[in-house]
Amino acid sequence: MKIIVLVGSPKGNQSITKHYVLYLQKKFPEHDFLFQNIAQQIKRIEKSDEAFQEIINKIRLSDAIIWAFPLYFLMVHANYKRFIELVYERKANGAFREKYALAISTSIHFYDHTAHNYIHGICDDLDMNYFGRYSAGMNDLMKEDKRENFLKYAAQFFDSVEKKLPTSRFFPKIIQSNFEYLPGESNIKEKIDLGGKKVLIVSDVEKGTKSLNLQKMIDKFKESFSDEIEEINLQDLNIKGSCLGCLQCAYDNQCSYIGKDDFIEFYDSKVKKADILIYAGTIKDRYLSSRWKMFFDRSFYNTHIPVLMGKQIGFIISGPLLQIPNLREIFLGWNETTGINSVDFVTDESQNSEEIDGLLHALASKSIKLSEIGFINEQTMRGVCGKNIFRDDIWGGLRFPFRADYKFYKKHGFFDFPYKKRKSIFISKIMLFLSRSKGFRKEVNSRMISQMTGPIKKIIEEK
Ligand SMILES: Cc1cc2nc3c(=O)[nH]c(=O)nc-3n(C[C@H](O)[C@H](O)[C@H](O)COP(=O)(O)O)c2cc1C
């Protein structure tokens, strides 16, 4: 069987993920594995159509494809995303049709499901036979039980390909729209006063497409304010490339791109200084553009330190966001984990210009209000679990090399493990001991519910 492995790590041959597939190559010598570094080679692939077509031809000749990628910002790396964009732009979709696909990732399991949902969605869009996903922890290969499990899964995959077992589709096809947003005449009676708040719009409107919905929505949003609102287009910034995964930033947040392009200066002086951020983008396949992805990946020089904590972020999105709940999940996941309040998502999906005008104005006024009162919504499981994954890994396996994170987490009391709640553990231990007695259990059961509400009732009476 001929298998092409599309490697999604910027580290190419040094990729941990690639090594997982090298292990499969060793254990399944009956199959031909052809490795293709995608993320690391993206500049060449983008520049030379010949290089791109060479890969596409290899895909055509293969029986199966392994998407082998590391997690990058709840998704795949920006360069991998760019490759997927190229497949559509250069109309190479046909090469993937009906090919069997397996997605293998390595990560610390922070939103690995959203990255896999993305790749799964892309496979469904490309009419592939998506077999499944294997999401390995980055060090799983060192453990015997994990290696065995990995081999079992791979064997099932190869068997499915050989027997041509049918696969079921998971994500519905996305229905595109040609709706043109026509902003209404400005009838805002009272413009919104910034009240000293700094609003920054970050967009990625592509040159020559100024008339598109996104720019019109951004301009309409700006109209709500009594003052000029700054907009920075990621297309205008000199960004040399995406994150290299070199981890030089881990020690003290010094990125290896320092002095080479505009990104760090832009992020430090503009993004970090804003009170309200508006991220504006157009959906490309099942995410925003790879330029936007580059923005997120490059911000990793701040490592796991929540540098935007306390800010309000609103989204202006052109495209079918309602059909891609996974994309909203990615933004909410990151925002909740890092203490950012997500104000709203305004899209052009309603196909009703008047309604969009109203939503944009509401976004403007809510952002200011929420910033003024300093409101950050409580976390759901997205934020609670996300934060705990970072906390545990920075306490443990990632303490080295992530020195800067460790220092920050320690200083700000982020290591709030349950074992620190000594009083409640002590009480629980006593209760556990006493609950051996049937009489005690009966007595407690009769009072348990009222005991639980008791302290809450007291707060209502007193506060
Ligand atoms: C910039 C950057 C972003 C990352 N984002 C995530 C993430 O969102 N979730 C996660 O679980 N791991 C994340 N990781 C960890 C990597 O996915 C993990 O270390 C992976 O094993 C690296 O594989 P590779 O050597 O093949 O590149 C990130 C690492 C880097 C450098």
Side-chain angles (χ1 to χ4, degrees):
M1 184 189 305
K2 277 197 172 74
I3 299 147
I4 182 156
V5 184
L6 303 176
V7 180
S9 171
K11 294 188 280 174
N13 293 340
Q14 297 300 322
S15 154
I16 292 174
T17 323
K18 180 171 179 177
H19 281 79
Y20 276 66
V21 191
L22 286 169
Y23 182 64
L24 293 185
Q25 185 182 36
K26 181 181 166 191
K27 295 292 175 180
F28 295 92
E30 64 275 30
H31 300 311
D32 285 341
F33 288 77
L34 188 62
F35 289 84
Q36 190 68 55
N37 286 334
I38 297 289
Q40 194 199 35
Q41 298 286 317
I42 196 66
K43 284 193 178 153
R44 193 174 69 85
I45 299 168
E46 194 172 14
K47 227 183 202 168
S48 146
D49 193 48
E50 207 184 323
F52 176 76
Q53 294 303 341
E54 215 174 277
I55 299 169
I56 296 300
N57 280 338
K58 287 177 192 164
I59 290 171
R60 268 203 188 95
L61 295 173
S62 66
D63 301 298
I65 294 171
I66 295 182
W67 300 90
F69 58 91
L71 253 286
Y72 265 65
F73 258 91
L74 308 82
M75 248 291 280
V76 300
H77 188 274
N79 295 357
Y80 213 41
K81 166 77 174 67
R82 180 66 195 133
F83 175 73
I84 290 165
E85 289 175 4
L86 288 176
V87 168
Y88 287 107
E89 283 171 22
R90 298 182 186 175
K91 303 199 175 6
N93 323 22
F96 294 80
R97 191 163 299 130
E98 288 177 16
K99 298 281 179 205
Y100 277 79
L102 169 65
I104 298 175
S105 69
T106 65
S107 70
I108 59 166
H109 295 304
F110 175 76
Y111 285 85
D112 46 350
H113 66 295
T114 48
H116 277 284
N117 282 341
Y118 171 76
I119 288 293
H120 190 166
I122 293 298
C123 289
D124 282 352
D125 292 346
L126 292 170
D127 295 319
M128 301 181 78
N129 282 309
Y130 178 86
F131 169 79
R133 58 108 187 118
Y134 195 88
S135 177
M138 54 190 290
N139 294 321
D140 278 1
L141 213 56
M142 325 270 266
K143 301 166 198 148
E144 196 179 335
D145 59 333
K146 297 284 183 188
R147 284 196 297 273
E148 269 176 25
N149 209 34
F150 185 42
L151 295 178
K152 277 184 206 163
Y153 197 67
Q156 277 185 59
F157 171 62
F158 298 135
D159 189 52
S160 280
V161 181
E162 255 154 19
K163 292 184 177 144
K164 294 199 180 334
L165 293 183
T167 55
S168 50
R169 197 186 168 95
F170 192 84
F171 293 99
K173 275 223 184 300
I174 292 176
I175 301 159
Q176 303 291 349
S177 131
N178 293 325
F179 165 71
E180 191 190 348
Y181 165 56
L182 298 169
E185 286 298 307
S186 183
N187 57 359
I188 300 162
K189 292 191 186 77
E190 247 179 78
K191 295 241 179 191
I192 299 163
D193 181 17
L194 289 174
K197 297 292 175 190
K198 224 172 165 36
V199 180
L200 175 70
I201 301 171
V202 184
S203 76
D204 71 337
V205 178
E206 285 176 40
K207 294 270 173 272
T209 58
K210 286 273 176 193
S211 64
L212 284 185
N213 288 359
L214 183 64
Q215 189 63 58
K216 288 194 259 177
M217 288 164 85
I218 294 170
D219 293 343
K220 188 70 191 165
F221 173 78
K222 286 182 188 168
E223 256 181 33
S224 287
F225 295 96
S226 52
D227 292 284
E228 189 87 0
I229 301 296
E230 186 171 15
E231 176 187 348
I232 294 181
N233 188 337
L234 295 173
Q235 306 287 352
D236 297 334
L237 280 184
N238 168 27
I239 310 176
K240 279 271 179 303
S242 195
C243 174
L244 303 169
C246 66
L247 294 188
Q248 193 178 297
C249 55
Y251 301 115
D252 44 17
N253 302 121
Q254 297 296 298
C255 178
S256 55
Y257 278 104
I258 286 178
K260 296 184 183 149
D261 69 9
D262 297 343
F263 187 82
I264 299 152
E265 163 64 14
F266 150 72
Y267 203 88
D268 284 345
S269 68
K270 298 289 182 183
V271 178
K272 286 184 189 172
K273 296 276 161 65
D275 301 295
I276 297 157
L277 287 159
I278 303 296
Y279 289 170
T282 300
I283 290 178
K284 276 198 173 177
D285 55 69
R286 288 178 177 266
Y287 189 81
L288 299 181
S289 66
S290 52
R291 191 77 177 170
W292 254 115
K293 187 64 189 25
M294 199 184 265
F295 167 90
F296 290 112
D297 290 358
R298 281 290 303 275
S299 72
F300 192 71
Y301 72 93
N302 298 292
T303 53
H304 304 88
I305 297 173
V307 290
L308 304 186
M309 189 161 58
K311 296 191 194 300
Q312 304 292 328
I313 295 192
F315 296 85
I316 298 179
I317 292 178
S318 175
L321 183 66
L322 279 176
Q323 297 180 59
I324 317 170
N326 191 54
L327 178 53
R328 195 185 293 253
E329 190 64 18
I330 288 174
F331 293 128
L332 293 177
W334 181 251
N335 288 357
E336 281 196 25
T337 300
T338 57
I340 296 165
N341 194 50
S342 304
V343 183
D344 202 359
F345 293 81
V346 178
T347 74
D348 51 3
E349 283 167 290
S350 67
Q351 308 207 6
N352 177 337
S353 296
E354 209 177 313
E355 188 179 313
I356 298 167
D357 289 351
L359 287 169
L360 288 167
H361 186 66
L363 175 67
S365 99
K366 274 194 279 186
S367 309
I368 296 290
K369 186 82 202 148
L370 292 170
S371 183
E372 274 170 0
I373 62 173
F375 179 74
I376 303 294
N377 208 344
E378 289 303 319
Q379 295 167 322
T380 64
M381 195 188 79
R382 294 184 191 106
V384 174
C385 291
K387 226 176 146 188
N388 287 354
I389 288 177
F390 284 176
R391 177 198 67 186
D392 292 357
D393 278 7
I394 289 157
W395 173 263
L398 296 185
R399 193 183 299 196
F400 178 81
F402 288 95
R403 249 180 95 229
D405 289 346
Y406 181 76
K407 258 169 70 184
F408 180 91
Y409 277 42
K410 193 157 186 254
K411 187 169 169 205
H412 292 86
F414 277 31
F415 295 125
D416 58 346
F417 302 99
Y419 72 73
K420 283 198 174 155
K421 294 178 185 160
R422 294 211 165 83
K423 191 175 154 200
S424 73
I425 290 174
F426 179 69
I427 294 170
S428 284
K429 274 185 181 165
I430 293 177
M431 298 301 263
L432 212 60
F433 177 76
L434 293 173
S435 65
R436 289 174 180 181
S437 141
K438 276 194 180 156
F440 177 81
R441 281 195 219 175
K442 210 172 157 197
E443 177 61 26
V444 169
N445 280 354
S446 67
R447 285 194 284 154
M448 186 131 63
I449 302 297
S450 60
Q451 291 273 340
M452 279 159 76
T453 45
I456 295 171
K457 279 186 180 154
K458 214 169 149 209
I459 292 284
I460 297 171
E461 280 159 20
E462 288 174 3
K463 303 279 169 185

